[in-house]
């Protein structure tokens, strides 16, 4: 059981304009090619690319990472918590609140169940996936619309930052999941 509201308070009326500005900045930064290949690029380095589902040259591994994120999100919205938990490694660190990592799978599942009571619906405004070897980084601005048990509509936004590891079977699982990646920008 969470000891205080588990949704961030960053969307209070006083802070909402600041949060909106930060989200807009994040979105503009994610869509701007900051790391384009240049003649001065160090030998052996790779330009960072953003994953867009319309790009024809997206690698299979990046697609697999994105598929896992989408699997987790859609199953969470549907309340399939066993499938949600299967997208994480056994001792994954999940940041349900900024600054607090939960590494116990049973506790994580309980928190997901409590959060599901809001009937959340998520949308992403973009995805960036970086893969090197058996490690991947997924970054995505998100919006969640839901309703409290007493009928109050809520909307939350954030920046998801997840680290994934490729498994022995070739699939991917999350090792670290921080949906509050923009927290430091607000403080």
């Amino acid at each position: 059981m969470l000891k205080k509201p588990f949704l961030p308070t960053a969307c209070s009326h006083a802070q909402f304009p600041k949060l909106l500005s930060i989200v807009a900045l994040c979105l503009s930064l994610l869509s701007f090619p900051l790391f384009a290949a240049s003649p001065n690029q160090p030998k052996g380095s790779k330009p960072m690319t953003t994953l867009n589902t319309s790009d024809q040259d997206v690698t299979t591994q990046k697609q697999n990472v994105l598929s896992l994120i989408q699997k987790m999100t859609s199953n969470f919205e549907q309340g399939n918590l066993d499938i949600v938990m299967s997208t994480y490694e056994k001792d994954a660190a999940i940041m349900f609140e900024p600054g607090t990592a939960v590494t116990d799978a049973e506790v994580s599942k309980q928190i997901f169940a409590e959060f599901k009571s809001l009937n959340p619906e998520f949308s992403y405004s973009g995805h960036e996936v970086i893969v090197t070897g058996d490690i991947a980084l997924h970054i995505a601005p998100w919006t969640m619309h839901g309703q409290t048990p007493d009928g109050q509509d809520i909307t939350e936004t954030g920046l998801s930052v997840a680290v994934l590891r490729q498994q022995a079977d070739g699939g991917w699982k999350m090792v670290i999941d921080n949906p509050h990646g923009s927290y430091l920008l607000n403080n």
Side-chain angles (χ1 to χ4, degrees):
M1 192 87 144
L2 296 172
K3 55 188 169 192
K4 54 185 171 178
F6 52 88
L7 294 177
T9 60
C11 285
S12 69
H13 294 292
Q15 294 181 348
F16 187 73
K18 180 180 175 184
L19 179 62
L20 193 55
S21 299
I22 292 169
V23 170
L25 174 64
C26 290
L27 291 174
S28 67
L29 289 175
L30 287 174
S31 65
F32 187 74
L34 293 174
F35 299 96
S38 73
N40 300 330
Q41 186 170 341
K43 186 175 182 176
S45 66
K46 299 175 187 174
M48 188 170 77
T49 57
T50 300
L51 175 65
N52 293 314
T53 54
S54 61
D55 291 346
Q56 296 299 319
D57 61 342
V58 176
T59 67
T60 301
Q61 293 307 326
K62 288 181 180 181
Q63 286 285 19
N64 291 343
V65 167
L66 182 57
S67 292
L68 181 90
I69 298 297
Q70 292 169 333
K71 174 183 176 180
M72 182 276 182
T73 303
S74 64
N75 279 284
F76 178 60
E77 289 176 340
Q78 296 168 22
N80 301 325
L81 299 184
D82 288 332
I83 296 174
V84 168
M85 295 308 298
S86 76
T87 64
Y88 292 93
E89 284 193 359
K90 180 181 174 243
D91 297 322
I94 305 172
M95 307 293 288
F96 292 101
E97 293 186 32
T100 305
V102 175
T103 58
D104 182 296
E106 289 302 314
V107 172
S108 293
K109 188 174 181 179
Q110 177 186 354
I111 295 171
F112 275 123
E114 291 174 9
F115 189 51
K116 176 60 183 127
S117 70
L118 298 174
N119 294 313
E121 292 181 8
F122 289 90
S123 61
Y124 296 99
S125 59
H127 297 271
E128 183 169 39
V129 177
I130 303 165
V131 176
T132 183
D134 66 345
I135 300 295
L137 176 66
H138 172 262
I139 304 169
W142 58 266
T143 300
M144 184 276 299
H145 299 283
Q147 194 172 64
T148 62
D150 65 356
Q152 180 183 359
D153 289 333
I154 57 170
T155 298
E156 297 288 334
T157 61
L159 181 67
S160 174
V161 179
V163 176
L164 300 91
R165 183 179 3 246
Q166 192 170 31
Q167 306 298 297
D169 66 1
W172 292 88
K173 290 193 177 194
M174 285 182 272
V175 180
I176 300 170
D177 183 10
N178 182 5
H180 307 287
S182 61
Y183 175 74
L184 292 176
L185 296 174
N186 300 324
N187 294 307

